[in-house]
Amino acid sequence: MTVTATAASDAPVRFKRVMLKISGEALMGETAFGLHPPTVQRIAQEVKSVHDLGVEICMVIGGGNIFRGLQGSAQGMERTTADYMGMLATVMNALAMQSALEELKIHTRTISAIPMDQVCEPYIRRRAVRHLEKKRVCIFAAGTGNPYFTTDTAATLRASEMNCEAIFKGTKVDGVYDKDPKKFDDAKRYETVSYNEALARNLGVMDASAIALARDNRLPIIVFSLDEPGGFRGILAGQGTYTTVKG
């Protein structure tokens, strides 16, 4: 499906509604912990550049820059409690991104799977769809609201519920490689890879539950570098370097 808006090259935009999944660590910039406001603002500008094309945008942001449930569990904390703490960290990141987007005059809604009415909206599917139809950016926070599920799975679930046409996974590298490109000079980047191969070879695109859910719903996953200026916008026009995970 295409929309009438065009990217800088006048190429038609490939998707009308997309999910952008980024890690909490992406908001740290060069710092070791927490939020780096200039980095948050830079990512917000990337989102705005795509929003300006008329594309409807959902977002899910991890919480690893503040607290990661698995790490807490590994250090002796009860797993369910650790996961709920991680969910609260995603709400903090979502609110930071909402603030940055609204400074850019982009109407944004933070929608939490854990009700906290004084802070953000509770998740109601039909209301969220209506926000998207009104061209508001929807940031889904608190994962699925359940422990033992990652934000990758939450992003795939919400993308499926919102009828998104693709998941954009913003990372530190420009696609999926057969091994770590930062450690191995001969690492090979895939142009496309199947869901089953990503699972069988444990390529680290997303966790297994998220990939399986994307496969079952025929939802392509586009992995690209969030550090590349204009990359998100360019890929919507089929430009740039990225890997597509699909059937």
Side-chain angles (χ1 to χ4, degrees), residues 67-94:
F67 187 87
R68 186 181 293 277
L70 277 175
Q71 290 178 350
S73 178
Q75 294 171 7
M77 184 176 292
E78 194 270 324
R79 173 64 187 271
T80 301
T81 298
D83 280 356
Y84 279 123
M85 292 173 66
M87 292 178 212
L88 295 178
T90 71
V91 176
M92 296 172 67
N93 284 338

Short mmCIF file of all heavy atoms in Angstrom, two decimals, residues 67-94:
data_model
loop_
_atom_site.label_atom_id
_atom_site.label_comp_id
_atom_site.label_asym_id
_atom_site.label_seq_id
_atom_site.Cartn_x
_atom_site.Cartn_y
_atom_site.Cartn_z
N PHE A 67 16.03 0.45 33.82
CA PHE A 67 15.99 -0.81 34.56
C PHE A 67 15.58 -1.93 33.61
O PHE A 67 14.64 -1.77 32.84
CB PHE A 67 14.99 -0.74 35.72
CG PHE A 67 15.01 -1.95 36.62
CD1 PHE A 67 15.90 -2.03 37.68
CD2 PHE A 67 14.17 -3.03 36.38
CE1 PHE A 67 15.96 -3.15 38.49
CE2 PHE A 67 14.22 -4.15 37.19
CZ PHE A 67 15.11 -4.21 38.24
N ARG A 68 16.28 -3.04 33.69
CA ARG A 68 15.97 -4.21 32.87
C ARG A 68 15.57 -5.37 33.78
O ARG A 68 16.34 -5.78 34.65
CB ARG A 68 17.17 -4.58 32.01
CG ARG A 68 16.88 -5.69 31.00
CD ARG A 68 18.12 -6.03 30.19
NE ARG A 68 18.52 -4.93 29.32
CZ ARG A 68 17.98 -4.71 28.13
NH1 ARG A 68 17.03 -5.49 27.66
NH2 ARG A 68 18.39 -3.69 27.40
N GLY A 69 14.36 -5.88 33.56
CA GLY A 69 13.83 -6.91 34.44
C GLY A 69 14.69 -8.15 34.52
O GLY A 69 14.90 -8.69 35.62
N LEU A 70 15.23 -8.61 33.40
CA LEU A 70 16.05 -9.82 33.41
C LEU A 70 17.30 -9.64 34.24
O LEU A 70 17.74 -10.56 34.94
CB LEU A 70 16.40 -10.23 31.98
CG LEU A 70 15.36 -11.04 31.22
CD1 LEU A 70 15.80 -11.25 29.77
CD2 LEU A 70 15.11 -12.38 31.89
N GLN A 71 17.90 -8.45 34.19
CA GLN A 71 19.10 -8.21 34.98
C GLN A 71 18.76 -8.20 36.46
O GLN A 71 19.52 -8.73 37.28
CB GLN A 71 19.74 -6.89 34.56
CG GLN A 71 20.37 -6.93 33.17
CD GLN A 71 20.97 -5.61 32.75
OE1 GLN A 71 20.77 -4.58 33.41
NE2 GLN A 71 21.69 -5.60 31.65
N GLY A 72 17.64 -7.59 36.80
CA GLY A 72 17.22 -7.59 38.19
C GLY A 72 16.98 -9.00 38.70
O GLY A 72 17.37 -9.36 39.82
N SER A 73 16.35 -9.82 37.86
CA SER A 73 16.09 -11.21 38.22
C SER A 73 17.39 -11.98 38.39
O SER A 73 17.54 -12.79 39.30
CB SER A 73 15.21 -11.86 37.15
OG SER A 73 14.97 -13.22 37.42
N ALA A 74 18.35 -11.72 37.51
CA ALA A 74 19.63 -12.42 37.58
C ALA A 74 20.39 -12.07 38.85
O ALA A 74 21.22 -12.85 39.31
CB ALA A 74 20.48 -12.07 36.35
N GLN A 75 20.09 -10.92 39.42
CA GLN A 75 20.77 -10.49 40.65
C GLN A 75 19.99 -10.88 41.90
O GLN A 75 20.28 -10.41 43.00
CB GLN A 75 20.98 -8.98 40.60
CG GLN A 75 21.95 -8.55 39.51
CD GLN A 75 22.00 -7.05 39.31
OE1 GLN A 75 21.41 -6.30 40.08
NE2 GLN A 75 22.72 -6.60 38.29
N GLY A 76 19.00 -11.75 41.73
CA GLY A 76 18.30 -12.29 42.89
C GLY A 76 16.92 -11.72 43.15
O GLY A 76 16.21 -12.18 44.05
N MET A 77 16.51 -10.73 42.37
CA MET A 77 15.18 -10.16 42.55
C MET A 77 14.12 -11.09 41.99
O MET A 77 14.35 -11.79 41.00
CB MET A 77 15.11 -8.79 41.86
CG MET A 77 13.80 -8.05 42.06
SD MET A 77 13.84 -6.41 41.30
CE MET A 77 15.04 -5.59 42.33
N GLU A 78 12.97 -11.14 42.63
CA GLU A 78 11.87 -11.98 42.14
C GLU A 78 11.48 -11.51 40.75
O GLU A 78 11.31 -10.31 40.51
CB GLU A 78 10.69 -11.88 43.11
CG GLU A 78 9.62 -12.93 42.90
CD GLU A 78 8.56 -12.45 41.91
OE1 GLU A 78 8.25 -11.24 41.92
OE2 GLU A 78 8.07 -13.30 41.14
N ARG A 79 11.36 -12.44 39.78
CA ARG A 79 11.24 -12.10 38.37
C ARG A 79 10.02 -11.23 38.07
O ARG A 79 10.12 -10.26 37.31
CB ARG A 79 11.18 -13.39 37.53
CG ARG A 79 10.89 -13.19 36.04
CD ARG A 79 11.97 -12.41 35.32
NE ARG A 79 11.58 -12.09 33.95
CZ ARG A 79 11.79 -12.87 32.89
NH1 ARG A 79 12.41 -14.03 33.04
NH2 ARG A 79 11.41 -12.49 31.69
N THR A 80 8.88 -11.56 38.62
CA THR A 80 7.68 -10.78 38.31
C THR A 80 7.84 -9.33 38.76
O THR A 80 7.51 -8.40 38.02
CB THR A 80 6.45 -11.41 38.98
OG1 THR A 80 6.30 -12.75 38.51
CG2 THR A 80 5.19 -10.62 38.67
N THR A 81 8.37 -9.13 39.96
CA THR A 81 8.59 -7.77 40.46
C THR A 81 9.58 -7.03 39.58
O THR A 81 9.37 -5.86 39.22
CB THR A 81 9.11 -7.82 41.91
OG1 THR A 81 8.13 -8.44 42.75
CG2 THR A 81 9.40 -6.41 42.43
N ALA A 82 10.65 -7.71 39.19
CA ALA A 82 11.66 -7.08 38.33
C ALA A 82 11.05 -6.67 36.99
O ALA A 82 11.33 -5.58 36.48
CB ALA A 82 12.82 -8.04 38.11
N ASP A 83 10.20 -7.52 36.42
CA ASP A 83 9.58 -7.19 35.15
C ASP A 83 8.64 -6.00 35.26
O ASP A 83 8.58 -5.14 34.37
CB ASP A 83 8.83 -8.40 34.58
CG ASP A 83 9.76 -9.39 33.90
OD1 ASP A 83 10.97 -9.09 33.78
OD2 ASP A 83 9.28 -10.45 33.47
N TYR A 84 7.89 -5.93 36.35
CA TYR A 84 7.01 -4.77 36.53
C TYR A 84 7.82 -3.49 36.68
O TYR A 84 7.42 -2.43 36.17
CB TYR A 84 6.10 -4.96 37.74
CG TYR A 84 4.89 -5.82 37.46
CD1 TYR A 84 4.62 -6.97 38.19
CD2 TYR A 84 4.01 -5.47 36.44
CE1 TYR A 84 3.50 -7.76 37.92
CE2 TYR A 84 2.89 -6.24 36.16
CZ TYR A 84 2.65 -7.39 36.90
OH TYR A 84 1.55 -8.15 36.62
N MET A 85 8.96 -3.56 37.34
CA MET A 85 9.82 -2.38 37.44
C MET A 85 10.32 -1.96 36.05
O MET A 85 10.38 -0.77 35.73
CB MET A 85 11.00 -2.68 38.37
CG MET A 85 10.59 -2.85 39.83
SD MET A 85 11.95 -3.40 40.88
CE MET A 85 13.05 -1.98 40.80
N GLY A 86 10.66 -2.95 35.22
CA GLY A 86 11.06 -2.64 33.86
C GLY A 86 9.95 -1.99 33.07
O GLY A 86 10.19 -1.07 32.26
N MET A 87 8.71 -2.44 33.28
CA MET A 87 7.56 -1.82 32.60
C MET A 87 7.43 -0.34 32.99
O MET A 87 7.14 0.51 32.14
CB MET A 87 6.28 -2.57 32.95
CG MET A 87 6.19 -3.97 32.40
SD MET A 87 4.64 -4.75 32.94
CE MET A 87 5.17 -6.46 33.05
N LEU A 88 7.63 -0.04 34.27
CA LEU A 88 7.54 1.36 34.71
C LEU A 88 8.63 2.20 34.06
O LEU A 88 8.42 3.37 33.74
CB LEU A 88 7.63 1.43 36.24
CG LEU A 88 6.48 0.76 37.00
CD1 LEU A 88 6.72 0.86 38.51
CD2 LEU A 88 5.14 1.38 36.64
N ALA A 89 9.80 1.60 33.85
CA ALA A 89 10.88 2.32 33.16
C ALA A 89 10.47 2.70 31.74
O ALA A 89 10.79 3.79 31.25
CB ALA A 89 12.15 1.48 33.15
N THR A 90 9.72 1.82 31.06
CA THR A 90 9.28 2.14 29.69
C THR A 90 8.31 3.32 29.69
O THR A 90 8.26 4.08 28.72
CB THR A 90 8.63 0.93 29.00
OG1 THR A 90 7.35 0.64 29.58
CG2 THR A 90 9.52 -0.30 29.07
N VAL A 91 7.52 3.44 30.76
CA VAL A 91 6.60 4.59 30.84
C VAL A 91 7.39 5.89 30.95
O VAL A 91 7.06 6.89 30.29
CB VAL A 91 5.64 4.43 32.04
CG1 VAL A 91 4.75 5.66 32.18
CG2 VAL A 91 4.78 3.18 31.88
N MET A 92 8.45 5.88 31.74
CA MET A 92 9.29 7.08 31.86
C MET A 92 9.87 7.47 30.51
O MET A 92 9.86 8.65 30.12
CB MET A 92 10.39 6.82 32.88
CG MET A 92 9.88 6.59 34.30
SD MET A 92 11.17 6.05 35.44
CE MET A 92 12.18 7.53 35.52
N ASN A 93 10.37 6.49 29.77
CA ASN A 93 10.93 6.78 28.44
C ASN A 93 9.87 7.28 27.48
O ASN A 93 10.11 8.19 26.67
CB ASN A 93 11.59 5.53 27.88
CG ASN A 93 12.93 5.23 28.52
OD1 ASN A 93 13.57 6.11 29.08
ND2 ASN A 93 13.35 3.97 28.46
N ALA A 94 8.68 6.69 27.55
CA ALA A 94 7.59 7.12 26.67
C ALA A 94 7.21 8.57 26.95
O ALA A 94 6.96 9.35 26.01
CB ALA A 94 6.38 6.20 26.85
#
